[in-house]
Amino acid sequence: TAPVCMAQDAAATKLQALHRGNSSRRLQEDNQEAGSALEAMLARVDSSAADATPRAEADAAARVQALHRGNSARRLQAEEHAAAAVVLEAGATRAAERKSENERRSSDAAASAAAAAAATAELESGKADAAAEVSLLDLDFGSATLVPPEASSAAPQADLALLLELDAAPAA
């Protein structure tokens, strides 16, 4: 059985060698055909590229220029938008400042009006007091002299003392 096995192994090895050889030759022929097809295609591309090179370069240059112009336009638009935002923010700040200034002026005006009203009321009160003093002096108390309220003492007791003096003075 050993010589039979050896003969079978030799036959199997021979068949494998034939198969590998045939496959290798077929692959080589396919590669040659593909290589020649590739060379033919490259030759066609080279000849058409020689004709199309100026046009392809012009197309590529146009695409690059369009990209550059688009980027520049977007950058310029973003800068203008940022500048407009700054202007709007500054305007809003100035408007807020003007509003607070107007409110301050309004409150100052209200305070001034209140102070003026108080001063007017005080003045009116002072006029009424002076009129009362004049009317008391006009009642023929003798030789009394008119003393304005500002010159006399602010205390009502002094006014009362003046009236008592006038009562005690002899009539002329």
Side-chain angles (χ1 to χ4, degrees):
T1 60
V4 173
C5 275
M6 282 177 87
Q8 284 180 345
D9 285 341
T13 303
K14 188 174 182 181
L15 280 174
Q16 288 173 351
L18 284 172
H19 180 68
R20 282 192 300 265
N22 287 338
S23 294
S24 174
R25 279 187 294 282
R26 214 177 293 126
L27 186 61
Q28 206 172 27
E29 286 173 5
D30 288 344
N31 285 342
Q32 282 179 354
E33 288 175 11
S36 64
L38 181 63
E39 287 177 11
M41 187 174 67
L42 287 174
R44 282 193 308 260
V45 168
D46 286 342
S47 67
S48 67
D51 295 337
T53 299
R55 182 178 178 147
E57 286 179 6
D59 289 345
R63 281 192 300 272
V64 168
Q65 289 172 351
L67 286 172
H68 180 70
R69 284 192 302 268
N71 289 338
S72 295
R74 281 188 292 279
R75 188 178 311 117
L76 180 63
Q77 189 176 21
E79 289 172 359
E80 288 173 353
H81 182 70
V86 167
V87 168
L88 287 175
E89 185 177 328
T93 303
R94 274 186 261 137
E97 288 171 355
R98 275 184 262 147
K99 183 179 177 184
S100 66
E101 179 65 22
N102 287 341
E103 288 173 354
R104 185 190 60 78
R105 286 182 183 168
S106 176
S107 66
D108 288 351
S112 295
T120 303
E122 187 178 320
L123 181 63
E124 291 297 325
S125 170
K127 284 182 182 177
D129 290 345
E133 287 183 25
V134 168
S135 65
L136 286 176
L137 290 176
D138 286 341
L139 293 177
D140 193 25
F141 286 109
S143 62
T145 57
L146 180 62
V147 178
E150 297 83 24
S152 68
S153 65
Q157 290 85 8
D159 293 338
L160 185 61
L162 178 64
L163 287 176
L164 292 174
E165 278 182 31
L166 293 175
D167 276 340

